[in-house]
Structures are given as structure tokens and as C-alpha cells.
Amino acid sequence: MKGTVHYEARGDIALMTIDNPPVNPLSGGVRQGLSDGITNALADDNIKAIVLTGAGRAFIAGADISEFGGANQGPSLHDCLNAMDASAKPIIAAINGTAFGGGLEVALCCHYRVISPSAQVGLPEVKLGLLPGAGGTQRLPRLVGAEKALDFMLTGDGIPGPAAHELGIVDEVADGDIVEAGISYANKIIAQGSPVRCIRNEDTLLIPDRERPEIFENARKQSARRMRKRFAPEMIIQCVEAAVNLGDFDAGMKVEADNFGQCLKHPQREALIHMFFSEREVAKIPDVPKDTPTQEIKQAGVIGCGTMGGGISMNFLNVGIPVTVLEVDQEALDRGTGVIKRNYDIQVQRGRMSAEEVDQRMALLTGTTSFDDLGEADVIIEAIYENIDVKVETFKKMEAVAKPGAILASNTSGLDIDKMADATSRPESVIGLHFFSPANVMKLLEVVRGAKTSKETIASSMKLGKTLNKIAALSGNAPGFIGNRMLGGYTRQAGEIILQGATPYQVDNAILQFGMPMGPFQMNDLVGLDLGWRARKLSGMKPEDVPITARVADKLCEMERFGQKTNRGFYVYPEGSRAGQADPEVVAIVEETSAELGISRREIGDDEVLKRCLYPLINEGAKLLEQGIAIRPCDIDIVYINGYGFPEVTGGPMFWADKQGLDNILADIKKFQEEYGGDIWEPAPLLEKLVAEGKDFASLQG
Ligand code: 3H9
């Protein structure tokens, strides 16, 4: 069994140290050790109190997530906690590091808690589709009241020691050696000789909450807004309602156990735990060893201060890394840095940042119009417009000024990294760092390795992603990389479906119901319909050569309906609103376009809309895997969830595909191939192979 608990008598105190590296989850061996240790301490008359702490950087990271869904060995956590609850000898948690989930619940079962200022406590179960199932939903409301407990459990965010003390979760914040602090707290309790404090027996804070049903109404409203379509929040709210209204601890624990069981069985739980492990897996690059030397990034350079360059710069400023940002002239520079300042000011207005913090961040920003000023940067990222020739020229200028070893990066969303690398004499330092718009908000960083990119440059870039609080996923260098290459089929299908009979609003609604934050036509309106239209005009494309899926958008552009920026696109946006309204004029244009193309319209069900939009993602994803552009299915899941709004509760497109059954998906793809043809519906050989072998994408994870 994994993990252990070291037991040591220090005078009349039993010190129990949980040891299950790296973060001490409550695996079978830990539960066994806890159970044995408590039994020993209670049986030993020389022992007057117990101090419980963690080895290494964590107290306890919670239940062992890898055990969910499998057969567990060792005693149950509840048996250990019941033994602790029943102990007449005081138990003190000396919280040395992270106490999350079941870890905090163990601490809440102790009679007293002391904490290091840097240690964090949290109940993040909701993020895994679970609820605190080891008494947390019953003990925390007794300790801090229902409202604060709900907020804590529904956000799932960790808080540091001093904040935990202020909230009333811990009794003392102790600087210095936390084990010594725990022992001295134990000695104080022994000296006082007072009975132990058992949270399960307290109800002072619960009684007034019985008269405040609005606590639960508000929690429901907030979680419907913040965690759309999530199953666990309602389960948590019901448990806290039970804690408040039933009054009896054991009756509340029964509700908690029932609801925990429901969460455990729910598909969202499996998907979210897949995401948890995928987020960690994606950082591991098979041919780049963990100990590969990395470049320390102390200074950054950004070329271009438009929407992307400005957002990228903010990422560095937010973590205290100075940035020199370059623009073509002073006017463009002033405009770009002005937007950065305005974005920060909005944060101040919303109470998310102080004016002082804005000043600190802006003080780290230097504007320039000369490449020479980028010479000190450890990484230079170009964020100019998408034209390979201009990018190649920019890389030549970057190389001329960059110091040896500096990372030379492109923020391109799909152009050839090798072409840029080959324009320099140091292709090993060249890499793609594809940020997603808005770059200061979106979590994903697609890192793109060229043919000659060195392992050091890859390792440094992945580490930089973490420093910038992004989730970095590595892609091979192929047009569109992972994300945009997959997106092609999705948007083209949406364009085709409206010509065959659906309205843009039906397509968007089906996608919204699936759980994406917006549909493809809402997305078009947000990005701007004019981008593609202008590019086609500039290239001199003849009207008859415009892809049929772009015909409606181009007609809208001819009417100056460019999307949100002109308050009219596929939708109409009342002045100052981003909530678009359906427009019969657009439906008429769509119908007219179908007629011009000789396409007879028919009723298309939402089920078909979904399959035709989502299955190209899966098919293309399989092609990316067999071509080695994506390393594992989970890398694709990470890219799609964090960069393209694929619903987290599905576990990402590839995990979701496994759940639909790859044989079902392949059969539909073949059907669509017969009906509509085109490369989108050419089944990926890997998909055919997996189906033939009765395997799924998960079998490729290794
Ligand atoms: C729960 O407690 C349910 C209870 O209410 C009810 C029970 C009845 N289990 O993140 P890192 C692994 S639900 C197993 O890179 P960091 C992780 O996969 C649980 N493994 O480190 C990684 O493995 P690898 C509620 C775990 O320092 C390694 O440890 N608890 C667990 O950046 C290092 O992780 C949570 O949701 C686990 N619980 O961050 C907390 N935790 O090296 C989840 C981590 O092979 N954990 N691993 O890739 C975290 O939030 C972060 O890991 C933590 C450390 C903040 C602790």
C-alpha cells in the first residue's frame, strides 16, 4: 500500500508524520498508519496528546485521487476520522504545507489546528466534480457558519495560513518550526486540562443560519452562473442545508455520504479527474528529460503592442518580469501601452487590483521603437500580424540584437516555425509561443517545436508557461498546430449546415447546450467577419472561388455587418450590449445563398448539428496523433478545453469521444463521408485501427 505514517513518542506527546511523497495524499498506507498511530497513542498511558503533521511540502493533499473508481485497500478514511473524533486525548494538527480536501477534513477532525503562514488550506473537491466527503460539509459550517463555508467549498480555492486564521478555520498561525509549535500548543492544552474541542458537537453558528434560507438561494444563483452545468455544486449546497437544518451531525453525515456517492458515479467526476491528471501529464515531454537545463527568464521583449502583444506583455508584468515592448512608431506605442494601462484600470474599478499594484506593474514596462533595446531580453516574442514574409524579416532583426541563448519566439497561430527558424543562424533557440486572445486571460499556451528547436528551449518554454500561470501544451510544427488545425473542420461544418437548412442561431444554440461558452457564429461575430473577407479581397480571390462556407459572412461584410465591432454581424447587438439577438434578415440571406448555390434546404436536428461540428475535431485529432504533432490524446484535451472553450466536464474532445464509443463515431463519419464527401470526413487511419482493435484513445496514453 502507498504511503506511511511515522510514529514517534516525544515525552508525553505522540508525533505522527504522514509520509507519502510528493504531496502526502491519503492512500491506503497512510490510512493504515493513521489508524495504527491513533490506536497506539490511545492505548499508551504515557501519551497525553497527539500532534499530526506532514513530511515534505504538504500536510495532506487530500484523498488519493488515483484510487477513485478502483478497489481500495486499507481502512476507510471515515473509520480513521471516527477514531480521532472519539479520542479523549487532544489531537493537534500542525499544518506544515498544503492541506487540501480530505487533508483539511483530517485537520478539522483534530481538536486544534496550528498552521505555518505559507501553508494553504482548501476544499477543492468541487473542481474534481466531488464534494468534501470526509465530514467537511458538516464540520466547516459548524466552524465558520454556512455562508462562508459554502463560499469556500463552491469556489474550491486555497487560502494561506493567515486568511485561514481570520476565517476561523485554524486556531493559531505559527512562524518557525511548525512541529515545535504543534507540540507547544499540545502542552498548553494538557496544562489547561480542559476537555477536547470536538467540532461535531458545536452548533452555535448553525442556529441563526436556520433563519436565513437566502444563504442557499444565493449559493444556487452564484454556482449556476460560475459553474454552469456542473453537478457537484448542488450536491454541496444540499449537504450544508442538511448541516444547518437537521441539527444532528450523524444525519448530516448520511446526506454527505449519499451525495458523495452520487458525485463519485457521475461522469463529470471521471472527466474532471482526467483533466487533473492531464494538466500534469502535459508538462512531461517524452524526449525532454526532467533535468534538462532551463533558461531563467528575468527580462522579456515583445514585438508589437496590439491586442496580442499587449496581452502577452501583461502576462509578464503580472508575475513581476520586466518587459520591453517594441512598436513601429511612438504613436502606435502610446496607443498600445495606453490599452494595457486601461485594462489594469478596469481591474482596479472591479476591485481586483489596487492602484498601487497597477503602478508597480506599469513601472516594469518599457516602450521602444528600436530593436537595439531588446538586447537584454531572455525571451523575445514577436506578436505582429500573420504574414510569413514579414515574420521572417522580423526574426532576422531579432537575431541581430538578441543576446546569446535568448529564446526567439513567434506568437503565430499557425504559420511555419521552421521558416522563421531557418532565417536565423540559431534555429535551436526558435520556438512558437502561441498565446490565445485575450492573452492576459486565456489559460492555454501552445508551445510549438520546430525541427531544430533544442531541448533546452522546449524545457525553458514549458517552464515559462508555468511561471506565467498558463497551461503549456507542446505541439509539433504543422499548419494550424493542434488547436487551429482541428478548428478548421468545426467551422467549415457549421458553415455548411446553415446552407443545408439550419439557421446560425440553431447551430449556436446546439453548441451552447453542449456546454461551450459560445457557438461558431457568435465566435465569428466576436473575432470580426471582416478579417477573412479583407484577406480574400486582398488576395484578389474571385467571388466564384470564395469557399461556399464563407459566402454568407462575405455578404454580411458587403453590408458592413462585421460583427460585434459594428453592432451587426450574424446577430444584432443593441448599443453597448454583447448579447446578440437573432435577425430575420440574416436568415433570409442564408436562404438566398442556399438557393443561389442550388442547395435544397431541409430540417436538420440538433443531434446532427452536434455530430457534424464535433466529429471533425475527433477525426483531425486522431490524424494529429498518428502524425506525432500531438504527443498524447490528453494534450489535445488540454488544448481544446483551455484554448477553445470545450466544456471541462466532458474531459476534452478525445476523452469525450471514448465515452461516445469510437465505433459509433467512426460509423457516423463514414456516413457523412458518403453524404458530403471532402477531406474532413476521410476517416483517420488511427481511428479505424483503434476501432478494429476494440481500443480507445485512452489506450494510447501510456
Ligand atoms: C478528496 O480529498 C475527497 C475527500 O473529500 C473525501 C474522501 C472520502 N492524489 O500538482 P503537483 C500528484 S478529493 C493523488 O504537480 P504541486 C500529482 O498527480 C482530493 N495524487 O504538485 C503529481 O503526480 P506526478 C482533494 C496527487 O506542488 C504530484 O502529486 N484534493 C494528489 O504543483 C505532484 O502534484 C485535491 O484536489 C492527490 N490528491 O501542487 C488536491 N495531489 O508528479 C489536488 C497531487 O506523477 N492536488 N497528486 O505528475 C493539488 O491541488 C496539487 O497537487 C497540490 C500540489 C497543490 C497539492
Side-chain angles (χ1 to χ4, degrees):
M1 281 191 295
K2 259 179 68 193
T4 188
V5 177
H6 305 291
Y7 184 95
E8 180 192 342
R10 290 218 185 159
D12 54 4
I13 310 275
L15 174 65
M16 290 170 54
T17 308
I18 291 146
D19 191 359
N20 190 14
V23 291
N24 301 333
L26 292 158
S27 318
V30 172
R31 297 195 301 272
Q32 189 66 58
L34 270 179
S35 171
D36 294 346
I38 299 287
T39 309
N40 285 346
L42 294 182
D44 186 342
D45 290 341
N46 295 323
I47 295 295
K48 303 259 182 325
I50 301 162
V51 170
L52 185 62
T53 194
R57 67 184 197 254
F59 174 68
I60 303 172
D64 184 337
I65 301 173
S66 63
E67 283 186 354
F68 290 136
N72 293 344
Q73 287 180 303
S76 85
L77 183 58
H78 286 95
D79 289 344
C80 299
L81 298 186
N82 288 341
M84 289 167 70
D85 243 351
S87 163
K89 295 181 184 179
I91 309 178
I92 291 92
I95 305 175
N96 55 304
T98 314
F100 274 4
L104 178 56
E105 292 174 291
V106 168
L108 292 177
C109 220
C110 296
H111 305 112
Y112 306 95
R113 286 152 294 281
V114 296
I115 193 168
S116 289
S118 59
Q120 292 247 333
V121 301
L123 290 173
E125 285 89 341
V126 71
K127 297 183 183 177
L128 302 174
L130 285 169
L131 55 83
T137 66
Q138 304 305 299
R139 287 193 178 87
L140 193 62
R142 284 173 163 79
L143 199 57
V144 304
E147 194 167 21
K148 288 179 185 162
L150 272 170
D151 188 51
F152 193 69
M153 288 188 269
L154 290 173
T155 60
D157 293 334
I159 55 172
H165 185 245
E166 206 173 303
L167 196 59
I169 294 181
V170 297
D171 301 286
E172 191 176 284
V173 181
D175 286 314
D177 188 327
I178 192 68
V179 171
E180 289 308 324
I183 291 176
S184 96
Y185 201 93
N187 283 326
K188 192 173 78 185
I189 297 293
I190 297 168
Q192 284 168 357
S194 40
V196 295
R197 181 188 180 196
C198 209
I199 297 173
R200 62 174 281 147
N201 299 330
E202 304 198 351
D203 62 3
T204 327
L205 292 179
L206 294 186
I207 293 166
D209 284 345
R210 282 180 202 145
E211 310 304 320
R212 299 184 58 210
E214 71 276 9
I215 294 176
F216 303 103
E217 272 167 43
N218 291 341
R220 286 195 166 91
K221 272 190 215 143
Q222 271 192 15
S223 56
R225 215 179 44 240
R226 283 199 211 139
M227 304 196 109
R228 198 164 78 92
K229 289 185 180 285
R230 292 285 183 111
F231 180 74
E234 173 58 24
M235 294 290 98
I236 293 175
I237 296 169
Q238 285 177 11
C239 291
V240 179
E241 265 176 330
V244 169
N245 296 326
L246 299 182
D248 175 59
F249 183 82
D250 291 325
M253 284 300 285
K254 184 161 176 344
V255 175
E256 184 186 273
D258 286 350
N259 286 12
F260 187 78
Q262 288 191 55
C263 289
L264 211 51
K265 277 189 280 182
H266 199 280
Q268 289 188 1
R269 191 273 307 162
E270 203 189 337
L272 290 168
I273 287 183
H274 163 72
M275 288 319 296
F276 175 84
F277 285 118
S278 299
E279 279 179 19
R280 280 140 190 93
E281 191 65 17
V282 87
K284 298 168 191 161
I285 314 300
D287 67 331
V288 179
K290 220 174 151 190
D291 56 1
T292 304
T294 54
Q295 163 97 348
E296 200 188 335
I297 307 294
K298 288 187 274 189
Q299 173 95 36
V302 176
I303 301 175
C305 198
T307 311
M308 285 314 292
I312 293 170
S313 300
M314 287 174 78
N315 280 294
F316 287 95
L317 302 177
N318 291 347
V319 296
I321 299 176
V323 180
T324 302
V325 64
L326 178 135
E327 258 299 353
V328 278
D329 56 36
Q330 194 59 40
E331 199 187 330
L333 195 57
D334 291 344
R335 202 170 40 240
T337 54
V339 172
I340 295 180
K341 174 75 168 60
R342 256 198 315 284
N343 284 339
Y344 280 135
D345 288 342
I346 292 171
Q347 300 295 319
V348 176
Q349 280 158 25
R350 294 186 179 157
R352 295 193 190 139
M353 202 184 263
S354 68
E356 201 188 355
E357 282 171 314
V358 175
D359 291 345
Q360 281 163 3
R361 287 176 201 198
M362 290 305 292
L364 295 172
L365 181 68
T366 309
T368 184
T369 53
S370 162
F371 270 81
D372 292 337
D373 291 332
L374 301 177
E376 289 304 307
D378 302 297
V379 58
I380 308 177
I381 306 173
E382 69 75 17
I384 58 174
Y385 64 97
E386 292 284 79
N387 177 305
I388 188 68
D389 298 332
V390 184
K391 289 206 189 258
V392 161
E393 286 313 306
T394 305
F395 265 81
K396 287 183 185 159
K397 290 185 193 156
M398 270 154 93
E399 169 180 38
V401 296
K403 66 182 184 186
I407 297 173
L408 307 181
S410 171
N411 177 53
T412 177
S413 60
L415 296 178
D416 189 348
I417 296 296
D418 288 336
K419 273 211 175 119
M420 299 175 224
D422 289 343
T424 74
S425 61
R426 35 175 141 161
E428 70 283 359
S429 298
V430 175
I431 199 158
L433 292 179
H434 178 203
F435 290 78
F436 286 68
S437 185
N440 52 319
V441 176
M442 295 293 284
K443 286 291 283 179
L444 182 66
L445 178 66
E446 207 175 19
V447 177
V448 188
R449 72 190 292 174
K452 297 178 191 148
T453 309
S454 69
K455 293 182 180 177
E456 287 78 6
T457 303
I458 295 172
S460 302
S461 300
M462 297 299 286
K463 188 170 153 211
L464 174 63
K466 201 165 181 187
T467 307
L468 300 181
N469 296 315
K470 302 281 176 199
I471 299 180
L474 190 70
S475 169
N477 179 35
F481 313 137
I482 295 176
N484 281 343
R485 174 147 154 205
M486 284 169 65
L487 191 67
Y490 167 84
T491 42
R492 268 190 283 158
Q493 276 304 294
E496 240 178 78
I497 293 166
I498 61 168
L499 294 175
Q500 291 166 351
T503 67
Y505 316 116
Q506 182 197 347
V507 173
D508 280 352
N509 191 45
I511 296 293
L512 277 177
Q513 289 312 313
F514 180 70
M516 309 265 249
M518 63 179 79
F521 298 101
Q522 289 165 320
M523 172 67 97
N524 282 344
D525 271 3
L526 179 71
V527 174
L529 305 180
D530 53 322
L531 300 185
W533 174 68
R534 278 186 218 285
R536 281 185 282 279
K537 275 192 172 299
L538 274 176
S539 73
M541 188 183 277
K542 293 189 204 124
E544 61 274 23
D545 292 337
V546 171
I548 60 166
T549 51
R551 302 276 172 101
V552 174
D554 279 12
K555 280 188 183 175
L556 294 174
C557 287
E558 299 293 347
M559 298 162 74
E560 296 196 1
R561 297 180 69 133
F562 297 151
Q564 283 194 17
K565 62 178 89 162
T566 53
N567 292 336
R568 273 154 37 106
F570 280 99
Y571 291 79
V572 175
Y573 301 85
E575 198 60 47
S577 163
R578 287 194 192 164
Q581 294 167 359
D583 183 359
E585 195 181 355
V586 172
V587 177
I589 293 170
V590 172
E591 287 171 356
E592 171 200 286
T593 312
S594 304
E596 282 165 11
L597 292 165
I599 300 172
S600 51
R601 296 178 67 80
R602 65 180 167 89
E603 189 132 324
I604 297 182
D606 286 355
D607 186 50
E608 182 180 335
V609 170
L610 269 188
K611 285 180 175 174
R612 286 181 59 192
C613 287
L614 300 185
Y615 288 1
L617 297 177
I618 316 300
N619 202 31
E620 199 60 41
K623 291 177 189 171
L624 288 168
L625 285 169
E626 63 194 337
Q627 291 163 12
I629 293 159
I631 303 173
R632 297 147 292 220
C634 74
D635 295 68
I636 297 178
D637 290 335
I638 286 289
V639 165
Y640 252 76
I641 285 184
N642 294 288
Y644 296 83
F646 206 84
E648 211 181 348
V649 290
T650 62
M654 309 314 270
F655 184 85
W656 176 79
D658 278 350
K659 301 294 154 195
Q660 307 309 300
L662 295 190
D663 49 346
N664 296 327
I665 292 182
L666 181 62
D668 279 325
I669 286 177
K670 285 183 170 165
K671 196 179 84 194
F672 294 141
Q673 188 187 25
E674 259 172 42
E675 284 172 34
Y676 309 113
D679 57 344
I680 291 176
W681 298 121
E682 186 67 50
L686 176 65
L687 185 58
E688 296 203 277
K689 180 170 175 280
L690 289 173
V691 171
E693 292 172 358
K695 291 186 179 161
D696 56 11
F697 287 123
S699 69
L700 306 172
Q701 281 291 147

